[in-house]
Amino acid sequence: MKELEERLRELIAAVGPMDEKAMAAARARQERLAKPPGSLGRLEELSIQLAGIAGKTFVQIRKPWLLVFAADNGVVAEGVASAPQSVTCMQTINLTKARTGASVLAKHFGCGITVCDVGVNADISDSDVLNRKIARGTRNIAEGPAMTREQALTAILTGAELAGETQADAIGVGEMGIGNTTTSAAVLACLLGAEPEAVTGRGGGLTQPAFLRKQQVVFRALMTNMPDRSDPVDVLSKVGGLDIAAMCGAFLGAAASRRPAVIDGYISVVAALCAVRLCPSVREYLVPSHASAEPGYLLAINALGLRPMLLLDMRLGEGSGCPLAFQIMDAACTIINDMATFDEAGIDDCYLDPIREAEHG
């Protein structure tokens, strides 16, 4: 256990600050591109962020990669999910065959994908699924802790290791696990001190009685386990899941290796919040994709101080928003890399001086 705790501390210490010089250079180039100041909005902001992460002005997103962590959750015994637990195993395999929402988008856009089993409650013999199984699912959080602290730490470090060793320009973080909107709601409620009703949604779709039961289960889980909100590892071990813990680690690992990490939807944003609570510097490496329709998403993304790039009413999970976000990131890079400056375009930009003066006070 002490060794795992020390490895986590070393991982957190490895997350460095943004490269301010590279960001300043990117900002200066954006101001010289042949366009009205700020006219490309968040594409400009994103290009500056990516420069700060990479430590250079000209960045390319030529090899994006999606990491999907799969695990089962014992809380499904409470009737909080619309799908049977067996779906976790089947979709974990289907993700590697380009048969799911996230994987068909990844294939279409040429995005790599790794599907990692950290806790599926089944034996998966498919060689395309990376086996890093820590346990066959978690225990029922309504009755006791989801897992031991050692298991939570192992999951975090597993996710970090996979992110660190993945050869990619940008990393997306997704999941597969029936019941994980319930565990995410419990983790988020604890971290934010929010009421279960405020963070609990219908997930993949629930009847009204099942939805009310889900809210009650989240409340019971918090009351039964009393997780320490100041200790994200304790929160994850008591009311989280192996998938969320591994995703938290992936965000840490991406930041430690100076790659942007794309947030998918609800489960992903909760994992990102856990990572930032462990290491605030991780926030600068995060790129949110779409706004999830789950009610807790807005609370989590606001707690991170970030804004999603896409409003598509998506709530699939799996990392489905990441391939879309990669395209926007690539577009931001193309603008700063290839667009002409005023000098290159032969334009006298003095007509913009009043606008620039107004912007800079």
Side-chain angles (χ1 to χ4, degrees), residues 1-344:
M1 177 78 82
K2 288 183 178 180
E3 179 187 351
L4 295 176
E5 299 278 6
E6 178 59 28
R7 286 175 58 192
L8 178 58
R9 285 191 290 270
E10 291 173 354
L11 173 63
I12 291 170
V15 179
M18 302 286 273
D19 189 319
E20 295 295 339
K21 289 184 178 180
M23 293 178 72
R27 192 175 292 110
R29 178 168 173 80
Q30 282 288 358
E31 291 176 355
R32 294 301 305 152
L33 295 180
K35 58 179 173 56
S39 59
L40 284 173
R42 295 182 65 187
L43 288 178
E44 298 185 23
E45 297 173 10
L46 184 54
S47 71
I48 295 168
Q49 178 190 6
L50 294 175
I53 293 172
K56 55 186 179 182
T57 306
F58 302 106
V59 181
Q60 292 184 320
I61 306 297
R62 291 289 181 261
K63 191 177 181 182
W65 208 274
L66 175 59
L67 302 180
V68 183
F69 296 93
D72 277 307
N73 302 277
V75 73
V76 296
E78 300 293 331
V80 295
S82 58
Q85 192 175 75
S86 59
V87 171
T88 300
C89 178
M90 293 307 301
Q91 287 295 76
T92 297
I93 296 171
N94 286 331
L95 273 158
T96 68
K97 314 300 182 189
R99 294 174 179 169
T100 76
S103 57
V104 297
L105 287 171
K107 180 180 180 180
H108 177 74
F109 288 117
C111 166
I113 183 171
T114 297
V115 183
C116 180
D117 170 13
V118 289
V120 178
N121 188 21
D123 294 322
I124 299 178
S125 58
D126 194 304
S127 60
D128 290 329
V129 176
L130 183 63
N131 182 5
R132 294 291 185 272
K133 195 188 298 287
I134 297 164
R136 292 176 67 98
T138 54
R139 295 185 289 274
N140 184 352
I141 60 173
E143 297 180 348
M147 65 189 100
T148 66
R149 185 178 182 89
E150 182 176 0
Q151 288 174 321
L153 286 166
T154 301
I156 292 170
L157 294 170
T158 297
E161 180 182 9
L162 184 55
E165 67 187 20
T166 297
Q167 299 299 309
D169 301 316
I171 291 173
V173 183
E175 42 63 42
M176 172 50 60
I178 300 303
N180 61 11
T181 59
T182 301
T183 52
S184 295
V187 169
L188 184 60
C190 180
L191 291 178
L192 299 185
E195 295 297 324
E197 293 81 2
V199 298
T200 307
R202 294 181 181 272
L206 291 172
T207 63
Q208 185 62 16
F211 175 51
L212 294 175
R213 183 165 58 250
K214 183 177 179 180
Q215 294 177 341
Q216 294 166 358
V217 166
V218 171
F219 178 79
R220 278 172 51 201
L222 294 170
M223 291 301 100
T224 298
N225 294 290
M226 298 298 288
D228 179 0
R229 63 183 297 189
S230 68
D231 180 1
V233 178
D234 186 67
V235 177
L236 287 167
S237 68
K238 288 180 176 176
V239 297
L242 290 161
D243 48 358
I244 305 174
M247 294 164 75
C248 168
F251 285 115
L252 288 165
S257 57
R258 301 198 70 87
R259 267 88 57 78
V262 177
I263 300 170
D264 180 35
Y266 183 43
I267 293 91
S268 190
V269 78
V270 170
L273 182 59
C274 290
V276 170
R277 290 293 176 88
L278 284 168
C279 178
S281 297
V282 168
R283 179 189 175 278
E284 306 304 321
Y285 293 81
L286 300 177
V287 178
S289 58
H290 68 98
S292 169
E294 282 286 301
Y297 176 87
L298 186 60
L299 292 175
I301 203 73
N302 286 343
L304 287 168
L306 300 173
R307 292 180 296 156
M309 294 188 292
L310 300 168
L311 302 175
L312 299 172
D313 295 329
M314 292 171 61
R315 54 185 179 87
L316 173 64
E318 300 180 9
S320 52
C322 298
L324 303 176
F326 291 143
Q327 306 312 301
I328 298 174
M329 295 164 70
D330 189 37
C333 293
T334 296
I335 290 297
I336 195 170
N337 293 347
D338 301 332
M339 191 172 174
T341 63
F342 284 106
D343 292 338
E344 292 166 344

